């Protein structure tokens, strides 16, 4: 690995420093963003997006998609993690159905020709990113290469949500938590993830006490260390062995569809 790379997005991508948009010697545009979806764009697609992307901070708890409301922006995280959350009709129940980090984007309903979603998307791990206005994204995806790339990501996300449903229905809570930590680790810059038990309980759809017990189980096996508001991954391979076949298929589909 060269000196200008760092080991983030462990199982999905190698991330590069964000230096903005620069002209290369041959006139093409280069995007050294940590967002793999952007950094893999062809020159024409990059040009279509360049003028409309703006940097934004992504503080924990920021709600960037509200159920039933028109989407104003799509977000491309450079650091941090956003959670897609399914919400019951009366708003009383919610559970996480997908994670978005440096590998992807929010606002996929815009890519699919709509502008609303019944789901909620909230920043779970703080960071920063780039965003684009909804109307600007709609105009940009007139570029066939960009449209195809974003549709490939949409397909990868549909696989992720399906396997999250599978895991929620078949795994015990400690294994569900291990899977979730692997996915969050994929999208993190290092081995530490800033998370509270309360946030985890919402994302996993369980009581806070259940999260505490599961963290103690994983900690007792030497897989992680949990302190107040912070989880440090100690043994990633051990987490993968614990989860077995419930981790890996969405990640492989991402690599196949997006690269």
């Amino acid at each position: 690995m060269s000196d200008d790379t760092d080991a983030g997005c462990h199982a999905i991508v190698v991330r590069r420093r964000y230096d903005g948009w620069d002209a290369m010697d041959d006139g093409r545009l280069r995007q050294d963003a940590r967002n793999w979806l952007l950094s893999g764009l062809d020159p024409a697609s990059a040009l279509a997006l360049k003028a409309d992307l703006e940097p934004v901070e992504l503080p924990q708890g920021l709600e960037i998609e509200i159920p039933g409301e028109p989407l104003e922006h799509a977000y491309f995280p450079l650091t941090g993690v956003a959670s897609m959350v399914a919400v019951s009709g009366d708003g009383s129940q919610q559970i996480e159905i997908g994670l978005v980090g440096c590998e992807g984007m929010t606002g996929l309903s815009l890519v699919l020709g709509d502008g609303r979603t019944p789901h909620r998307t909230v920043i779970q791990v703080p960071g920063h990113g780039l965003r684009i206005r909804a109307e600007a994204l709609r105009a940009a995806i007139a570029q066939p290469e960009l449209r195809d790339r974003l549709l490939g990501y949409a397909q990868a996300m549909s696989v992720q949500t399906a396997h999250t449903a599978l895991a929620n229905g078949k795994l015990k809570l400690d294994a569900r938590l291990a899977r979730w930590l692997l996915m969050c680790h994929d999208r993190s810059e290092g081995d530490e993830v800033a998370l509270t038990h309360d946030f985890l309980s919402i994302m996993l759809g369980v009581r806070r006490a259940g999260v505490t017990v599961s963290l103690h189980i994983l900690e007792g096996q030497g897989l992680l260390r949990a302190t107040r508001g912070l989880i440090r991954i100690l043994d990633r391979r051990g987490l993968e062995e614990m989860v077995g076949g419930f981790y890996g298929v969405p990640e492989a589909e991402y690599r196949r569809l997006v690269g």
Side-chain angles (χ1 to χ4, degrees), residues 72-147:
E72 297 182 358
H73 296 89
Y75 290 77
F76 296 85
L78 305 179
T79 60
V81 178
S83 292
M84 293 172 50
V85 181
V87 183
S88 63
D90 61 3
S92 63
Q93 302 294 324
Q94 55 184 337
I95 190 169
E96 184 182 80
I97 57 172
L99 286 178
V100 179
C102 58
E103 87 296 348
M105 65 178 290
T106 70
L108 284 178
S109 61
L110 295 169
V111 177
L112 297 173
D114 195 9
R116 300 173 188 263
T117 175
H119 306 316
R120 174 175 175 252
T121 300
V122 60
I123 299 301
Q124 183 167 170
V125 178
H128 64 282
L130 302 170
R131 73 177 184 181
I132 184 171
R133 291 174 292 107
E135 57 270 27
L137 179 63
R138 290 191 180 102
I141 58 178
Q143 288 283 342
E145 293 84 358
L146 177 60
R147 182 175 63 249

Side-chain angles (χ1 to χ4, degrees), residues 26-63:
D26 61 1
R28 292 181 297 126
L29 287 175
R30 174 172 57 86
Q31 168 61 300
D32 282 338
R34 294 177 179 177
N35 184 283
W36 187 252
L37 209 52
L38 293 180
S39 60
L41 290 177
D42 63 279
S45 299
L47 277 169
L49 289 177
K50 175 190 174 185
D52 295 302
L53 286 169
E54 59 177 337
V56 290
E57 293 298 317
L58 301 174
Q60 188 176 49
L62 175 67
E63 195 167 31

